[in-house]
Amino acid sequence: MARSLNKLSALSVKGARPGKYSDGGGLWLHKAEAGSGKWVFRFTIYGRRREMGLGSTNDVSLKDAREAADRWRGIAAKGLDPIKERERERREAEKRLHLLREVAEDAYESRKAELKGDGKAGRWFSPLELHILPKLGKTPVAEIDQTSIRDVISPIWHVKAETARKALNRLAIVMRHAAALGLEVDLQATDKARALLGQQRHKAANIPALPWIEVPAFYASLAEPTITHLALRLLILTGVRSGPLRFLHESQIDGDVWTIPGEAQKGRKDKTPDFRVPLVDEALAVIEAARRHSRDGFLFPSVKKGVISDATMSRLMERRKMDARPHGFRSSIRDWIAETTDTPFDVAETMLGHTVGGKVERAYRRTDFIEQRRKLLERWANHVTGKGGKLLRLVENE
């Protein structure tokens, strides 16, 4: 057998005339008229003779061609088809080449329908964009392990605990998406990384709120007819979350009622009902002023495109050296209700769009207390505009 192998030499390969030359062991040189050549490995599998290309003589040397032929000869000896095995290896290699950023973007696209506003606010993707992808985005998903995850998360694990938790959760979703695509990934990598990171020292803190007694002075300072001032004024007057307010559209307003679609609400589910917000005179005046800035029906557009960002109103309060933040006005109004009115608990919680009672109880309750809430908001508007008033009394069956 040894004498039947290695029949060719580098010199003979280079000077060979057009034709086919055997090097032995199934390795052949096919030389073309133009002087170029290619390596071919012949083998028999299941009684069928096949040929497998090993590359051009310009790219593959005689030595490399012999090593390749030797390898595939061994594969054929095991009863496996070298051509099919090479295709399988190529597919496996392609799986390993899928980069984390590509898979993360694909996972995001597939989940847009589940997110508020199809994810246009960017909240779902931002933890990945800011804390994971800058360092791991160009890494194949097959190579992502617990230590690499630990290394990128550890800088924020204690100082930005909630952000770190969201980043890990989003990454776990991306890894599951990769597995669903048929890619080789370690689905336990994020859990292992969490174990390596240990217990978080940071404890979640409530969003700072302006005491309700100080709200009138702040409201009075929002005297300019700018988008930011008007947005903050309406946020204070209605007690809604900043998300629905930023995406307030003309189509949602019917007379003195603003209807927030169920899909725009926090923690929404498929059957989340719409939420009606009564608009008192002061709120209607703010909306009328905001209409001068509207674009495509949105009352609070950003300078370039879309609507104002979640940070626009916060930055105004930051520049004024305030600890309080826009979301805190929900606490301001809730404290005001508790301390200056005898409003029933259900009405007070519904004011903020909170779910009250169990599933059965909610099924039998057919009211959203809109008229009681209108009276509350009228009283609140009097307070924030400095008009004051007496203690307000409400009962649920008014």
Side-chain angles (χ1 to χ4, degrees):
M1 175 67 71
R3 288 192 298 272
S4 65
L5 294 175
N6 303 336
K7 298 177 182 178
L8 301 175
S9 67
L11 188 61
S12 65
V13 170
K14 185 176 181 180
R17 294 176 178 274
K20 298 180 180 181
Y21 303 89
S22 172
D23 185 56
L27 178 62
W28 286 75
L29 168 65
H30 289 191
K31 203 68 177 288
E33 292 286 346
S36 62
K38 65 178 181 179
W39 298 109
V40 174
F41 173 60
R42 293 179 181 176
F43 63 94
T44 302
I45 188 77
Y46 307 131
R48 179 187 176 192
R49 189 170 184 176
R50 305 197 68 186
E51 291 189 350
M52 177 182 184
L54 299 180
S56 166
T57 54
N58 294 329
D59 302 321
V60 181
S61 68
L62 174 60
K63 179 176 179 292
D64 292 338
R66 285 171 175 168
E67 290 179 355
D70 185 57
R71 179 180 178 235
W72 295 120
R73 202 162 39 244
I75 295 293
K78 295 178 182 179
L80 300 174
D81 187 334
I83 294 177
K84 291 183 178 179
E85 277 299 296
R86 184 168 64 179
E87 286 300 314
R88 184 188 65 78
E89 291 180 0
R90 183 175 296 163
R91 288 194 299 270
E92 292 299 319
E94 288 176 352
K95 289 180 181 179
R96 291 192 292 272
L97 287 177
H98 284 81
L99 305 183
L100 179 63
R101 174 173 285 280
E102 297 171 354
V103 179
E105 291 173 349
D106 190 60
Y108 173 55
E109 288 295 325
S110 71
R111 279 159 179 76
K112 278 187 175 180
E114 306 170 13
L115 307 175
K116 294 180 184 178
D118 285 340
K120 291 179 181 178
R123 288 183 176 179
W124 193 93
F125 200 74
S126 60
L128 292 169
E129 187 71 75
L130 294 174
H131 303 289
I132 301 291
L133 298 181
K135 292 186 178 179
L136 294 180
K138 295 182 179 180
T139 304
V141 288
E143 297 178 14
I144 302 292
D145 60 16
Q146 62 268 30
T147 54
S148 59
I149 298 171
R150 188 240 356 237
D151 292 344
V152 298
I153 291 292
S154 58
I156 62 169
W157 185 243
H158 297 294
V159 295
K160 295 182 179 179
E162 183 61 17
T163 300
R165 183 189 66 79
K166 288 181 179 179
L168 266 183
N169 289 346
R170 301 290 193 276
L171 181 56
I173 292 173
V174 171
M175 299 294 270
R176 290 198 294 272
H177 186 79
L181 289 172
L183 308 180
E184 289 185 358
V185 293
D186 182 358
L187 289 176
Q188 296 180 336
T190 52
D191 290 334
K192 294 174 186 175
R194 198 185 303 270
L196 292 175
L197 289 162
Q199 187 67 33
Q200 290 177 315
R201 290 192 298 270
H202 176 82
K203 292 184 178 179
N206 292 328
I207 296 175
L210 194 66
W212 62 265
I213 203 167
E214 297 178 19
V215 173
F218 178 73
Y219 187 88
S221 73
L222 303 172
E224 299 175 13
T226 64
I227 291 177
T228 305
H229 280 214
L230 292 170
L232 274 168
R233 285 164 65 182
L234 191 60
L235 187 78
I236 292 170
L237 289 167
T238 57
V240 300
R241 294 182 173 88
S242 64
L245 181 125
R246 292 185 298 109
F247 284 92
L248 173 57
H249 193 273
E250 283 280 6
S251 61
Q252 298 172 1
I253 300 174
D254 184 10
D256 59 2
V257 175
W258 166 22
T259 301
I260 300 175
E263 62 268 19
Q265 298 175 48
K266 181 180 179 181
R268 71 171 181 87
K269 298 180 180 179
D270 291 341
K271 296 183 179 180
T272 299
D274 296 343
F275 181 65
R276 297 191 298 171
V277 179
L279 298 170
V280 299
D281 291 344
E282 180 72 10
L284 289 171
V286 172
I287 288 173
E288 188 60 34
R291 284 192 169 106
R292 302 166 195 164
H293 302 284
S294 68
R295 184 174 66 227
D296 299 328
F298 292 101
L299 269 62
F300 301 112
S302 66
V303 176
K304 295 182 179 180
K305 63 178 181 178
V307 300
I308 57 174
S309 72
D310 203 26
T312 300
M313 293 180 284
S314 292
R315 281 197 290 267
L316 181 144
M317 302 179 78
E318 289 175 5
R319 288 194 297 269
R320 295 188 181 187
K321 310 299 182 183
M322 299 174 65
D323 292 328
R325 291 294 176 266
H327 189 81
F329 288 115
R330 288 169 56 79
S331 295
S332 303
I333 191 172
R334 187 64 179 85
D335 290 344
W336 172 83
I337 291 173
E339 295 179 21
T340 68
T341 79
D342 62 351
T343 303
F345 176 80
D346 286 5
V347 179
E349 287 298 289
T350 303
M351 172 72 81
L352 300 180
H354 290 165
T355 300
V356 182
K359 184 176 181 180
V360 174
E361 181 183 349
R362 294 197 304 274
Y364 281 95
R365 186 172 59 233
R366 302 298 181 183
T367 180
D368 61 0
F369 307 111
I370 191 167
E371 291 308 317
Q372 291 95 323
R373 290 188 289 123
R374 184 182 298 280
K375 291 181 180 179
L376 269 177
L377 288 178
E378 287 173 352
R379 171 74 178 183
W380 173 245
N382 286 337
H383 168 68
V384 300
T385 56
K387 297 175 183 178
K390 296 181 181 181
L391 178 72
L392 181 65
R393 295 186 175 277
L394 289 177
V395 292
E396 292 188 27
N397 59 1
E398 281 187 65

